[in-house]
Amino acid sequence: MKKLLLAGAVALFGLSNAQMTKGDWVISGNTGFGFNSVTTKIKAEGQSADGPKVSTFSLTPSVGYFVIDKLAVGIDLGLTSTTTKYTGTKDTTTSFSVMPTATYYFANDSKFVPFLGAGIGYATVKNKEQVNAMGVSGSTETTADGLAWKVKGGVTYMATQSLGINLGVSYDQFSNKETYMGTDVKTHVNTFGVNVGFSYFIKAKAQKSDK
């Protein structure tokens, strides 16, 4: 009986050890979303009004290669869309980024594997504003390109030896500087988000031994 329990424990720990060794690959897909509604109280003349409603959606597919045990370097693609609605005005900001990244997995005998990562790269941000209020309607659109960087962290739950479920947080910053009619205009977009997703770890093929 003891031998049977020991064998079961070994099998369980074997499942919890992910493929995170040199030469392995990891493919991830994370998504995040959120909604926020704010009610603004206007004290003038005892009136009140609803504040802006904000919704956010993000998608981050990525691929990484383990250059050493537990450390993967690769590419993160990021798509984030934020929509703000307020008194007949709809403002939508969409950003797309490409970032080389490095992620370190604190792999151990547990099925819960913490991770930390960072990256820097290129991003483009598009802003579209639509107005339809008080007899006025129209839209304006602007686009900016620039430098972007991010930090991320969280934990991966290894459901199997190869498939993990991610829960994490990330902080992204986009910076841009342009000159209009002799005036420098700087743009900064900061995004903090909570995301969920998955990671699939691919074991490197075993090398054939020399005969």
Side-chain angles (χ1 to χ4, degrees):
M1 185 65 180
K2 291 182 178 179
K3 292 183 178 179
L4 181 60
L5 292 174
L6 179 61
V10 171
L12 179 61
F13 281 115
L15 283 176
S16 66
N17 290 327
Q19 309 298 337
M20 300 178 185
T21 56
K22 182 179 179 180
D24 295 345
W25 291 83
V26 57
I27 300 173
S28 300
N30 296 321
T31 184
F33 57 89
F35 300 91
N36 184 22
S37 179
V38 180
T39 300
T40 303
K41 297 297 183 181
I42 303 175
K43 295 183 179 180
E45 298 182 358
Q47 296 182 353
S48 63
D50 292 333
K53 294 183 178 181
V54 182
S55 60
T56 303
F57 171 78
S58 65
L59 179 65
T60 311
S62 65
V63 60
Y65 175 78
F66 284 87
V67 292
I68 60 174
D69 292 355
K70 304 181 183 181
L71 178 63
V73 297
I75 296 291
D76 280 18
L77 303 178
L79 175 65
T80 302
S81 179
T82 301
T83 300
T84 303
K85 296 180 179 180
Y86 182 58
T87 61
T89 300
K90 179 180 178 181
D91 187 87
T92 302
T93 300
T94 304
S95 64
F96 176 76
S97 63
V98 179
M99 292 190 198
T101 57
T103 305
Y104 187 83
Y105 294 85
F106 298 87
N108 48 63
D109 289 335
S110 171
K111 287 189 176 183
F112 295 91
V113 181
F115 64 87
L116 288 173
I120 187 170
Y122 163 86
T124 180
V125 176
K126 180 179 179 180
N127 182 267
K128 184 176 182 180
E129 184 178 22
Q130 296 175 296
V131 179
N132 186 12
M134 300 179 65
V136 178
S137 62
S139 64
T140 58
E141 191 173 298
T142 59
T143 302
D145 302 323
L147 178 70
W149 60 268
K150 71 183 297 183
V151 291
K152 59 182 178 179
V155 63
T156 297
Y157 172 75
M158 299 306 302
T160 70
Q161 193 175 17
S162 299
L163 181 63
I165 300 172
N166 306 326
L167 175 62
V169 295
S170 62
Y171 178 82
D172 301 57
Q173 184 180 87
F174 166 82
S175 299
N176 168 269
K177 180 180 178 181
E178 296 182 345
T179 302
Y180 296 97
M181 301 179 65
T183 302
D184 290 337
V185 178
K186 297 180 180 180
T187 301
H188 297 282
V189 179
N190 303 313
T191 304
F192 176 82
V194 177
N195 51 73
V196 295
F198 72 93
S199 291
Y200 186 73
F201 298 86
I202 303 172
K203 180 65 178 177
K205 293 183 179 179
Q207 297 180 353
K208 294 182 179 180
S209 59
D210 297 334
K211 294 183 179 180

